[in-house]
């Protein structure tokens, strides 16, 4: 596993300039990054280098045609001082699936896990320890070839960067407001909605900005064919609690298969709570809300873990969920997942990968 890894350390660490009390999201990076190149049909040259700019050909196919894939996962410093990465095997599997869809040679387990283990151990000083804070890990893979012809590239780059990120919520867990986007869509059947590829996010920017201008934090996407069925929210999967059943849209190719989504479903089943993965018509949510049966709603994704939804704007009206606050099951799931990640709650499913920090 990465026998020929070469490590070039920074001359001076930036750790002294990190304000752990005021972290943001994705604006601060650890000292080092991991890099590999794909050339001549194989991934080669594993390197750890100082984090910094890279040079690419201006005709780079990623810049022209968006041949790129990314992942997002987190490392946590537990209450016992141990460092855990949450379910990296799921991120590797998803990155491989995303790569296959857009003709990128997928990274293998040795390089993906090796990169994370070496990088997290080397930059362990950047892992925050407060509840909710984490070291965000961002692996990317993209074309590293300059050509203007539309075809798969022959050269690629795999990079992994990390950086400390804030807790998304304070103890009050304020609920977010969503706006249903009834016209523009992010994914269509047969497209790349299930892949974590850059183009999907470019497509989501305009509707996202419109929602924010109207005071909503995120867009609630509907399906790309009939604009009738709920799909996901921003970069999170969506869950609704109707009476005592939790429903979430089934994975049918247009929805990103979230690691947090899978974790939520597992924890709900563990608790004996009824869950359904199926198509959910927006009409059904509106009707459930009218009848007082829509008890909770929340988004699930690595960044926020669990984000309570307090209001949903659609068709000129606004549905208020759980009095605009965080529901009890929503809060319980947040506590359960963050508890496992911090080593406070038994990891019954073997989700945590312990990092040897020497
Ligand atoms: C990454 C992402 C999610 C959440 O996936 P996690 O693995 O839970 O972080 C959901 N939807 C979209 C569009 C995403 O990009």
């Amino acid at each position: 596993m990465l026998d020929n890894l070469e490590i070039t350390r920074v001359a001076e660490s930036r750790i002294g300039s990190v304000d752990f009390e005021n972290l943001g999201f994705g604006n601060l990076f650890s000292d080092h990054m991991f890099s590999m190149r794909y050339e001549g049909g194989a991934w080669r040259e594993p390197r750890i280098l100082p984090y910094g700019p890279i040079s690419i050909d201006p005709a780079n196919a990623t810049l022209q045609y968006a041949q790129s894939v990314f992942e997002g996962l987190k490392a946590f410093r537990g209450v016992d001082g141990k460092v855990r990465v949450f379910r990296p095997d799921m991120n590797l599997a998803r990155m491989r699936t995303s790569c296959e869809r857009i003709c990128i040679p997928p990274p293998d387990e040795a390089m993906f896990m090796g990169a994370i283990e070496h990088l997290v151990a080397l930059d362990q000083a950047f892992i925050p320890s407060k509840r909710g804070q984490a070291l965000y890990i961002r692996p990317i893979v993209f074309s590293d070839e300059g050509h203007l012809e539309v075809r798969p590239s022959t050269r690629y780059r795999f990079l992994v960067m990390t950086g400390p990120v804030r807790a998304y919520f304070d103890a009050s867990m304020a609920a977010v407001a969503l706006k249903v986007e009834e016209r523009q869509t992010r994914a269509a059947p047969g497209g790349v909605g299930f892949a974590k590829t850059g183009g999907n996010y470019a497509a989501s920017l305009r509707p996202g900005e419109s929602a924010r201008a109207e005071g909503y934090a995120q867009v609630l996407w509907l399906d790309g064919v009939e604009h009738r069925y709920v799909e996901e929210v921003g970069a999170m999967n969506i869950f609704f609690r109707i009476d005592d059943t939790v429903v979430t849209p089934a994975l049918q190719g247009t929805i990103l298969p979230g690691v947090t989504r899978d974790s939520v479903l597992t924890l709900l089943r563990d608790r004996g709570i009824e869950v359904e993965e199926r198509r959910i018509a927006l009409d059904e949510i509106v009707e459930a809300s009218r009848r007082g049966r829509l008890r909770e709603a929340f988004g699930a994704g690595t960044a926020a873990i669990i984000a309570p939804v307090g209001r949903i704007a659609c068709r000129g009206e606004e549905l208020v969920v759980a009095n605009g606050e965080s529901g009890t099951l929503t809060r319980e799931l947040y506590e359960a997942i963050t508890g496992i990640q911090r080593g406070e709650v038994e990891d019954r499913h073997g989700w945590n990968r312990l990092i040897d920090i020497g």
Side-chain angles (χ1 to χ4, degrees):
M1 196 199 248
L2 297 181
D3 306 324
N4 48 351
L5 174 66
E6 280 179 24
I7 301 178
T8 309
R9 289 171 187 259
V10 291
E12 200 182 334
S13 175
R14 282 196 305 254
I15 190 68
S17 65
V18 178
D19 178 1
F20 283 99
E21 300 300 318
N22 292 294
L23 295 173
F25 188 89
N27 53 355
L28 181 70
F29 299 94
S30 310
D31 286 335
H32 302 91
M33 63 182 183
F34 179 91
S35 161
M36 275 182 92
R37 290 181 185 284
Y38 184 91
E39 201 170 352
W43 284 104
R44 55 186 79 237
E45 291 176 29
R47 303 266 189 275
I48 284 179
L49 312 158
Y51 177 87
I54 57 168
S55 77
I56 52 171
D57 193 299
N60 178 291
T62 309
L63 300 184
Q64 317 302 323
Y65 309 124
Q67 203 191 2
S68 71
V69 160
F70 69 95
E71 269 303 326
L73 63 166
K74 283 175 170 175
F76 301 85
R77 193 182 298 282
V79 286
D80 52 4
K82 291 182 178 159
V83 174
R84 297 169 174 84
V85 177
F86 191 67
R87 309 192 72 181
D89 50 316
M90 295 276 289
N91 297 89
L92 168 63
R94 185 170 67 193
M95 181 167 240
R96 291 179 58 88
T97 307
S98 299
C99 284
E100 302 281 4
R101 178 63 181 80
I102 60 170
C103 296
I104 295 179
D108 65 25
E109 181 174 354
M111 55 191 274
F112 191 88
M113 296 301 175
I116 289 172
E117 282 174 1
H118 283 101
L119 209 49
V120 170
L122 184 61
D123 284 332
Q124 57 180 279
F126 287 83
I127 311 169
S129 50
K130 284 210 178 137
R131 173 173 294 278
Q133 294 180 331
L135 185 77
Y136 185 72
I137 304 169
R138 167 58 63 93
I140 57 173
V141 52
F142 57 95
S143 164
D144 195 14
E145 187 181 347
H147 64 81
L148 296 181
E149 193 187 344
V150 178
R151 60 161 170 83
S153 300
T154 58
R155 290 202 304 271
Y156 295 88
R157 192 96 181 253
F158 172 68
L159 295 178
V160 184
M161 62 200 105
T162 72
V165 295
R166 70 185 159 94
Y168 224 80
F169 295 107
D170 57 17
S172 68
M173 262 188 107
V176 298
L178 308 181
K179 183 195 163 202
V180 175
E181 174 54 59
E182 295 177 62
R183 202 170 51 84
Q184 302 178 93
T185 56
R186 79 173 273 287
V192 295
F194 65 90
K196 224 167 164 78
T197 178
N200 285 334
Y201 303 83
S204 75
L205 293 177
R206 175 53 58 211
E209 283 307 287
S210 309
R212 263 182 286 283
E214 292 172 42
Y216 297 94
Q218 302 266 0
V219 168
L220 181 58
W221 300 106
L222 300 181
D223 74 280
V225 179
E226 296 176 75
H227 300 199
R228 271 183 64 196
Y229 298 95
V230 175
E231 298 235 304
E232 56 186 319
V233 44
M236 290 186 285
N237 295 112
I238 184 82
F239 288 78
F240 301 98
R241 176 179 172 196
I242 300 176
D243 294 328
D244 284 319
T245 301
V246 177
V247 295
T248 193
L251 303 175
Q252 288 171 326
T254 53
I255 294 172
L256 211 286
V259 177
T260 320
R261 175 187 184 278
D262 184 84
S263 307
V264 164
L265 288 171
T266 303
L267 292 176
L268 289 171
R269 289 181 178 123
D270 282 355
R271 283 163 169 68
I273 292 170
E274 200 167 324
V275 296
E276 292 172 2
E277 296 175 71
R278 59 172 170 83
R279 292 190 103 182
I280 305 166
L282 182 61
D283 284 340
E284 180 186 345
I285 299 303
V286 173
E287 186 61 21
S289 171
R290 288 214 179 103
R291 293 177 183 273
R293 298 175 56 206
L294 179 61
R295 296 176 62 185
E296 301 184 40
F298 59 90
T302 295
I305 318 286
I306 302 287
V309 173
R311 290 181 293 137
I312 304 172
C314 66
R315 299 172 186 152
E317 59 175 315
E318 197 166 74
L319 314 180
V320 176
V321 190
N323 297 318
E325 293 166 8
S326 174
T328 51
L329 186 59
T330 302
R331 192 176 284 272
E332 198 184 312
L333 286 163
Y334 178 79
E335 297 295 334
I337 295 178
T338 53
I340 293 169
Q341 291 169 331
R342 281 168 58 83
E344 293 171 320
V345 174
E346 191 197 349
D347 179 18
R348 286 181 47 198
H349 299 281
W351 286 340
N352 293 318
R353 188 178 179 105
L354 275 177
I355 302 291
D356 180 3
I357 50 171

